[in-house]
Amino acid sequence: MKTVILDGHTANPGDLSWDGLKAFGELKVYERTKPEELLERADGAEVLLTNKVIIDAGAMAALPCLRYIGVLATGYNVVDIAEAHRRGIAVTNIPAYSTMSVAQTVFAHLLNITNQVSLHADAVRQGEWQRNADFSFTKSPLIELDGLTMGIVGLGNIGTQVARMAQAFGMKVTAVSSKSEAALRDMGIRKAKDFDELFSESDVVSLHCPLTDATHHLVNRERLALMKPTAILINTGRGPLLDEQAVADALTGGRLLAVGVDVLTKEPPRQGSPMISAPRCYITPHIAWASLAARRRLIDIAIDNVAAFMQGKELNRI
């Protein structure tokens, strides 16, 4: 059996191994694949693994040997699922591999904003502490999380873990979720009646919902206007959950304290983004999922998915 990995670099830039897939036959790994390279590289493959390379109906029609598509991520919008089902091609994804890493990134952003560790560390490196008359100095207000309200949109695996971490910091948690009020109460979480209530009452809002037509630009000018000017917005979900221009304008106008995001609408932001130059906007390059531990889990699950398929079993099948 021939297995082809189309874009293996982000999951494994060289610090991990794909060798577990060699047990199933020939393995070819490409670090990156351009759309025009797809058909040549995937020719003859029965198993195709992809992260961001799109496998559409046309590609499937041109690859008659294809029996299995493994998405090296949780989201699987890069594959035409209906066409795969019509052709009897199995499709799998990698669920829940990055829960702890993404939740940790939420608090990396939040603590960076509230404690300004980098700002103060840089000041020390530049000699400001040595020149200071006192034993202590601050360059920005420092914010304590205890007692603040964390509003969470979406209580899947990641949102639930963020809620637990927030509670460990002494924060009150409210959420918009499909879970029942009773279920949330058992978790120590208050169920918000709607988005507007959550945005207006929260000191911190963290987004963990899927990107759908209903959640596209969930954070828009109207919802930003409901937020406290002292509020912090965190997005480790999907870039288009935010109207980026509206967020940049809110920051510039002082209507929002700070924003921390790990995702943008366009990635990489070749044409820029209004948020890149906005004040008090902290952007990381889509790395929340990419800890060594999370990437190791991703590869292990990908291998398990293929092994199950080879044995005629269903594991993480979409």
Side-chain angles (χ1 to χ4, degrees):
M1 183 183 73
K2 180 179 179 180
T3 298
V4 173
I5 301 174
L6 294 169
D7 49 354
H9 179 77
T10 50
N12 179 16
D15 53 355
L16 295 170
S17 173
W18 297 108
D19 284 354
L21 291 167
K22 292 181 179 178
F24 310 119
E26 179 187 353
L27 173 65
K28 183 66 178 179
V29 181
Y30 296 98
E31 291 195 349
R32 301 171 186 85
T33 294
K34 298 176 182 177
E36 60 269 24
E37 296 172 326
L38 167 61
L39 296 184
E40 179 182 353
R41 291 183 171 184
D43 184 45
E46 294 176 74
V47 172
L48 208 53
L49 301 184
T50 179
N51 188 330
K52 297 297 184 185
V53 179
I54 294 173
I55 313 296
D56 58 16
M60 294 180 208
L63 299 170
C65 296
L66 190 59
R67 299 169 53 208
Y68 173 98
I69 301 170
V71 182
L72 297 172
T74 302
Y76 45 85
N77 57 302
V78 296
V79 178
D80 185 332
I81 300 299
E83 181 66 14
H85 288 173
R86 191 182 73 80
R87 291 181 174 274
I89 299 172
V91 182
T92 63
N93 71 337
I94 315 287
Y97 72 94
S98 63
T99 298
M100 295 303 295
S101 291
V102 176
Q104 179 175 313
T105 300
V106 170
F107 278 88
H109 272 287
L110 184 54
L111 292 170
N112 174 60
I113 290 167
T114 56
N115 288 66
Q116 292 291 315
V117 171
S118 180
L119 174 70
H120 289 91
D122 286 345
V124 171
R125 187 174 294 110
Q126 292 162 14
E128 291 189 41
W129 198 9
Q130 293 164 271
R131 297 189 296 269
N132 200 270
D134 303 306
F135 77 95
S136 172
F137 73 97
T138 59
K139 294 182 68 67
S140 67
L142 305 179
I143 300 167
E144 189 172 87
L145 294 178
D146 184 61
L148 298 186
T149 295
M150 166 76 88
I152 299 175
V153 180
L155 278 178
N157 291 323
I158 296 172
T160 298
Q161 185 58 42
V162 169
R164 293 189 185 114
M165 291 181 175
Q167 289 167 334
F169 275 99
M171 301 181 77
K172 296 173 285 187
V173 179
T174 185
V176 170
S177 169
S178 59
K179 292 181 171 65
S180 70
E181 188 171 350
L184 265 61
R185 190 182 307 116
D186 289 343
M187 300 165 65
I189 299 171
R190 188 180 74 83
K191 186 179 177 76
K193 66 179 181 181
D194 55 27
F195 291 126
D196 289 352
E197 181 183 76
L198 180 138
F199 276 80
S200 64
E201 294 184 358
S202 297
D203 298 296
V204 180
V205 173
S206 191
L207 305 179
H208 302 285
C209 56
L211 177 62
T212 65
D213 289 342
T215 60
H216 183 269
H217 285 189
L218 172 70
V219 181
N220 51 31
R221 294 186 188 279
E222 293 74 24
R223 212 148 266 143
L224 287 163
L226 297 173
M227 297 182 73
K228 303 173 184 178
T230 55
I232 298 166
L233 174 65
I234 308 290
N235 184 21
T236 56
R238 292 290 182 266
L241 296 173
L242 307 186
D243 177 338
E244 293 181 355
Q245 187 62 60
V247 172
D249 290 346
L251 288 166
T252 301
R255 299 187 300 278
L256 195 60
L257 177 64
V259 172
V261 302
D262 187 57
V263 287
L264 291 175
T265 298
K266 298 293 184 182
E267 297 174 348
R270 304 291 188 196
Q271 307 304 316
S273 162
M275 297 206 304
I276 290 176
S277 58
R280 306 177 309 285
C281 187
Y282 304 90
I283 302 172
T284 49
H286 206 140
I287 59 171
W289 67 281
S291 70
L292 178 64
R295 291 185 291 107
R296 182 178 286 117
R297 280 192 294 271
L298 182 151
I299 290 173
D300 288 346
I301 295 170
I303 294 169
D304 289 345
N305 285 349
V306 175
F309 170 74
M310 295 299 295
Q311 296 165 11
K313 301 175 183 177
E314 292 197 3
L315 181 62
N316 300 315
R317 188 78 67 90
I318 300 165

